[in-house]
């Protein structure tokens, strides 16, 4: 049995610009809180958190969860509000973004520079995204690998096209 993924706190501490592409992001609140409890002066240059639109959640992602889609939508908006409260004072460029199509989940750690790291979790039909197998890509040489560049360009596309997530 595949164990649920655990948020890598050391990566959050070490990297200054991080993007999360996911569904609910319910694990981020606890991770950022733990880091800020241990180091209240910690800051990040940029945190970008991508959520699926309500339509995307309803049309294609709700099959991966046992909860009704209405509960998932409420959870998504609640998570965004809590993360905003935690991160707004300590992040220079904080963005909550919405996308209408989610090809995979992933986290991107200082992805624009050598030493960057990209973690990709494919979405598997009917499987909980927290237990789907994952792939990791590292920028360990002068130029990133072709695979790394594809995922980096995909995130750049999302950053250009995604809309701000507004919670009422």
């Amino acid at each position: 049995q595949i164990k649920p993924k655990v948020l890598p706190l050391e990566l959050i501490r070490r990297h200054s610009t991080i993007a999360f592409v996911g569904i609910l992001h319910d694990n981020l609140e606890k991770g950022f809180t733990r880091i800020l409890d241990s180091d209240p002066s910690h800051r990040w240059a940029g945190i970008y958190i991508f959520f699926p639109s309500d339509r995307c959640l309803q049309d294609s992602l709700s099959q991966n969860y046992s909860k009704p889609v209405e509960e998932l939508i409420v959870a998504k908006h609640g998570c965004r509000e809590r993360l905003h409260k935690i991160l707004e004072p300590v992040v220079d460029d904080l963005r909550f973004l919405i996308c209408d199509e989610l090809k995979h989940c992933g986290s991107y750690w200082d992805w624009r520079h050598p030493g960057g790291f990209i973690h990709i979790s494919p979405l598997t039909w009917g499987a909980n995204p927290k237990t789907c197998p994952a792939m990791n890509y590292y920028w360990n040489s002068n130029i990133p690998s072709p695979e790394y560049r594809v995922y980096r360009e995909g995130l750049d596309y999302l950053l250009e096209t995604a809309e701000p997530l507004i919670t009422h």
Side-chain angles (χ1 to χ4, degrees):
Q1 179 178 357
I2 297 174
K3 295 181 179 180
K5 295 176 179 76
V6 177
L7 188 65
L9 297 181
E10 184 52 38
L11 287 178
I12 293 175
R13 274 188 202 94
R14 190 174 50 211
H15 292 278
S16 65
T17 304
I18 310 167
F20 297 98
V21 179
I23 300 174
L24 298 179
H25 298 295
D26 50 351
N27 61 341
L28 294 182
E29 179 183 357
K30 187 188 325 180
F32 280 108
T33 299
R34 286 179 63 191
I35 287 170
L36 291 168
D37 284 348
S38 67
D39 180 7
S41 65
H42 194 98
R43 294 196 56 86
W44 291 272
I47 301 288
Y48 312 108
I49 303 174
F50 293 85
F51 290 90
S53 67
D54 292 351
R55 190 189 78 219
C56 177
L57 195 54
Q58 182 171 353
D59 292 347
S60 60
L61 299 175
S62 62
Q63 67 182 347
N64 298 73
Y65 291 90
S66 58
K67 293 180 180 180
V69 70
E70 295 79 17
E71 285 183 36
L72 297 173
I73 291 169
V74 168
K76 174 183 80 169
H77 289 283
C79 181
R80 184 254 181 240
E81 290 173 4
R82 291 187 303 277
L83 284 168
H84 184 268
K85 184 176 181 179
I86 293 166
L87 296 173
E88 197 273 331
V90 295
V91 177
D92 296 333
D93 184 11
L94 177 62
R95 296 187 220 170
F96 296 94
L97 301 156
I98 193 109
C99 47
D100 284 325
E101 188 176 23
L102 201 57
K103 302 281 189 189
H104 62 265
C105 295
S107 53
Y108 297 72
W109 311 83
D110 290 325
W111 65 94
R112 293 181 180 120
H113 306 286
F117 170 65
I118 298 174
H119 173 85
I120 300 297
S121 296
L123 294 170
T124 304
W125 302 279
N128 186 323
K130 292 182 182 201
T131 58
C132 288
M135 299 165 286
N136 296 320
Y137 300 93
Y138 302 88
W139 186 350
N140 290 332
S141 59
N142 289 337
I143 58 169
S145 70
E147 296 84 0
Y148 187 100
R149 287 195 310 264
V150 166
Y151 284 110
R152 183 181 66 186
E153 290 165 7
L155 181 64
D156 289 341
Y157 174 81
L158 277 181
L159 284 165
E160 290 175 18
T161 61
E163 298 291 327
L165 173 61
I166 299 169
T167 303
H168 305 292

